Amino acid sequence: MAGWYAIALRLGGTALFTAVAVLAATKQISGWWLGVTLTALCLWSAFFTWRVRRSMLTPTVVLADAAVISAVALAQQHLVPAVLIEDNTTWMLPLACTSVYILQIAVRPRLALPGAAIVVIFYGLGTGHPAGGWLLVVETIVAAGLVAVIRGGARQADASVAVSMESERRIRAEEARRADEREQHRQLHDTVLSTLTMVAAGAFAERSTALTAQAARDLRVLQGLASAPPVPGVLAAGELAPLTDLGPKLERAAAGTGDLTVRLKLVPVTLPSPVADQLVACVGEALRNVERHAGTGQAEVTVTGGAGWAVVKITDRGRGFDPAATPPSRRGIRESITGRMLAAGGRAAIASRPGAGTTVTVSWPA
């Protein structure tokens, strides 16, 4: 913004003051002096514009601008009628002011103030009496004060933004930590707690190869928790993750249900890999619930969807239950299915009633 402001001052000021200089010229003014000086000023303004657009406002180009304007101000007795110089009403004064403004907005005070002092001195020498630049001194003080106030406000704003961004970063980190903990709790519920519950219920009265296989799978899950990245961070970038085929993942989930017979109705569906993993985990938990609680040996998984979206229904004809009567201590549906899908940006719904079976629907996106 400072660069565009400087370009507007230099280019617009040069165009305006060139026209004023030509209109204000009298017979006492040398046409040669006026033509050469205005031509040089226009060429410099064009170069200044090109340089600033290419390399932004650098101290070198700003100080060079102050030098050019100082040289023009020094020659003002050849360019401006004497009566206007005496009245301090020449076009040279606002031209010099543009240089002072550019200095103040473009460089630090340690360079801006000495540069402005040079412009003031050369302007005073050009008028024929050094005190003639007192208006420029006032302009310099006012401009420097305003820029100092603006820079102070900008520093405070930067500090506030930095504090806000740091707070937001900490909040997001804490949210990611909590979400990761919730995901680990879901994994524990889906594996170890599920297996222990079945053992405690007497599902394995004798030595069981199914129990051994289930325990081995649980152990692999626990070993993977330590090195797994936080799930929320992965899902937040899910739209950037590569798409993966949902079908093979669902087939593996159905094959890991032990004695439960699962009929699959699949269509080609591709989802971001982290989302697909979470959706399959929900299906696996729903199938385990059927195996443990539904009192039936069959379930059906129906998939509809396409590229980037999916709706999966897990249906059984078992004993059913009343979802509203589920005690708060039962976290399987609330966390491992509904909570997991919400964290992934999807939805989950459970439709069931006693004696009428159960249908669990998970979908993504929400």
Side-chain angles (χ1 to χ4, degrees), residues 2-362:
W4 283 110
Y5 183 65
I7 288 173
L9 283 174
R10 179 54 56 237
L11 202 59
T14 297
L16 174 63
F17 301 137
T18 296
V20 172
V22 172
L23 293 175
T26 62
K27 294 181 179 180
Q28 288 76 28
I29 300 301
S30 169
W32 184 88
W33 269 96
L34 189 62
V36 170
T37 302
L38 293 180
T39 299
L41 182 60
C42 290
L43 291 174
W44 166 252
S45 299
F47 175 80
F48 179 87
T49 300
W50 171 79
R51 190 66 184 178
V52 171
R53 291 194 62 184
R54 181 180 178 182
S55 305
M56 302 180 66
L57 272 176
T58 62
T60 301
V61 72
V62 172
L63 294 176
D65 180 73
V68 170
I69 300 304
S70 297
V72 174
L74 188 62
Q76 64 180 298
Q77 291 188 18
H78 300 283
L79 308 173
V80 180
V83 64
L84 297 181
I85 295 177
E86 290 294 332
D87 294 339
N88 269 331
T89 56
T90 74
W91 57 270
M92 195 66 64
L93 180 61
L95 178 65
C97 286
T98 61
S99 181
V100 169
Y101 298 155
I102 292 173
L103 280 165
Q104 302 310 311
I105 66 173
V107 295
R108 294 296 179 182
R110 64 176 179 271
L111 289 178
L113 294 178
I118 292 174
V119 176
V120 171
I121 292 171
F122 275 67
Y123 179 85
L125 293 175
T127 62
H129 42 90
W134 67 271
L135 281 175
L136 274 180
V137 173
V138 174
E139 292 285 349
T140 301
I141 294 173
V142 172
L146 288 175
V147 171
V149 171
I150 293 172
R151 284 178 176 161
R155 283 191 293 268
Q156 292 180 358
D158 288 344
S160 298
V161 170
V163 170
S164 176
M165 291 180 66
E166 177 63 18
S167 299
E168 183 177 358
R169 186 193 66 79
R170 291 178 180 177
I171 291 172
R172 288 183 179 275
E174 180 64 17
E175 289 176 347
R177 185 187 65 80
R178 291 179 179 177
D180 191 40
E181 288 179 353
R182 288 195 296 269
E183 178 58 24
Q184 292 191 21
H185 294 161
R186 294 177 191 128
Q187 294 278 15
L188 290 173
H189 176 275
D190 295 351
T191 55
V192 177
L193 294 180
S194 176
T195 302
L196 292 177
T197 300
M198 295 178 71
V199 171
F204 304 100
E206 301 176 356
R207 183 179 182 87
S208 170
T209 56
L211 176 60
T212 302
Q214 179 65 40
R217 287 194 296 270
D218 295 351
L219 181 59
R220 286 194 296 270
V221 170
L222 292 176
Q223 290 172 338
L225 288 179
S227 58
V231 172
V234 176
L235 296 179
E239 65 275 14
L240 301 179
L243 296 180
T244 186
D245 189 358
L246 187 63
K249 293 178 179 288
L250 289 176
E251 290 174 351
R252 288 193 292 270
T257 56
D259 296 332
L260 183 68
T261 301
V262 181
R263 185 172 63 171
L264 296 174
K265 293 183 179 180
L266 305 178
V267 297
V269 171
T270 54
L271 296 175
S273 182
V275 174
D277 291 340
Q278 296 303 300
L279 192 148
V280 171
C282 293
V283 173
E285 174 63 14
L287 292 175
R288 282 189 291 272
N289 286 339
V290 173
E291 189 176 9
R292 292 196 299 264
H293 307 300
T296 179
Q298 295 182 343
E300 181 177 276
V301 176
T302 305
V303 179
T304 57
W309 70 281
V311 177
V312 182
K313 292 185 177 181
I314 305 94
T315 304
D316 70 79
R317 305 294 182 186
R319 61 174 61 99
F321 68 102
D322 182 2
T326 303
S329 59
R330 298 291 297 275
R331 300 170 59 88
I333 292 177
R334 188 174 69 253
E335 285 295 331
S336 293
I337 297 179
T338 304
R340 181 175 267 137
M341 286 309 301
L342 288 176
R347 296 178 61 187
I350 292 85
S352 181
R353 69 175 188 270
T358 302
T359 298
V360 177
T361 304
V362 290

